[in-house]
Amino acid sequence: MASGSESGKLVVVSNERVVEIVRSHLAGTGATWDEDAPGRFSVELPGERKLKTSCSLAVRDHSLVVNAFVARHPDENTEGVYRWLLERNARLSGVAFAVDAAGDIYLVGRLPLDAVTPDELDRLLGVVLDAADSSFNTILELGFSTAIRREWEWRLARGESTRNLAAFEHLRPE
């Protein structure tokens, strides 16, 4: 249970109520989701640049925790990628970029249970989706440009489709 203050009154929010809010909201989104365990949800957020963002939501004793995988550890220019992420954090609301022990990139956030409403949950998931989707190509270009150039060369040499490399046309070999 969590407690907070609403006009000087003590407000108690149960974990079960928050679980119901999350469950109901996800059911109405049309996104693919699953309740892995009581109070633990996984959802696939559909994007444009990053086709899907895998996101977990966990109702804990005092907060709703969100984690979303964005990209694996950069192959190169790790410092430049991480610096860009830190600069981007200053413009985010409710979530921040973080890295795990392997250097993989995530978006993480935490809401107090008494702040979880359908509107706030929708806003939080929207921020996660927007941040992951709008940052994805920049992360790839900064941290994987050599691999992207090699992929261009390989596909062009074999006459393969380059449709999914269109965002990186400027990295195409001459």
Side-chain angles (χ1 to χ4, degrees):
M1 280 194 189
S3 62
S5 176
E6 181 179 293
S7 303
K9 300 177 196 168
L10 182 64
V11 177
V12 177
V13 179
S14 72
N15 292 36
E16 293 79 19
R17 170 120 171 84
V18 173
V19 167
E20 277 305 312
I21 290 171
V22 173
R23 192 180 289 134
S24 175
H25 180 76
L26 292 177
T29 64
T32 302
W33 68 278
D34 190 29
E35 189 168 356
D36 309 322
R40 293 187 55 186
F41 302 87
S42 58
V43 60
E44 298 291 331
L45 303 174
E48 294 175 21
R49 294 172 199 91
K50 181 172 175 50
L51 298 180
K52 67 179 180 177
T53 298
S54 298
C55 183
S56 70
L57 298 162
V59 178
R60 303 274 170 79
D61 288 341
H62 302 285
S63 60
L64 173 68
V65 177
V66 60
N67 284 288
F69 177 77
V70 178
R72 66 181 176 85
H73 182 282
D75 287 346
E76 59 194 342
N77 189 23
T78 304
E79 183 179 321
V81 173
Y82 293 167
R83 179 182 177 88
W84 186 86
L85 295 173
L86 286 171
E87 290 171 358
R88 181 86 166 95
N89 276 347
R91 296 189 310 270
L92 295 176
S93 173
V95 296
F97 283 104
V99 296
D100 66 7
D104 294 340
I105 301 165
Y106 289 83
L107 282 160
V108 297
R110 187 176 306 266
L111 277 178
L113 292 183
D114 60 349
V116 179
T117 65
D119 287 343
E120 185 60 18
L121 182 56
D122 187 58
R123 186 201 66 77
L124 181 66
L125 291 174
V127 169
V128 167
L129 177 57
D130 181 62
D133 198 54
S134 66
S135 300
F136 189 63
N137 286 351
T138 301
I139 292 168
L140 292 182
E141 186 171 341
L142 289 172
F144 302 92
S145 62
T146 299
I148 293 169
R149 285 184 178 95
R150 279 195 309 260
E151 185 70 14
W152 267 109
E153 290 169 359
W154 185 86
R155 287 175 183 247
L156 291 171
R158 286 161 183 75
E160 298 285 335
S161 171
T162 58
R163 185 171 40 123
N164 67 336
L165 295 173
F168 307 103
E169 182 71 33
H170 59 285
L171 297 176
R172 181 183 182 141
E174 296 179 22

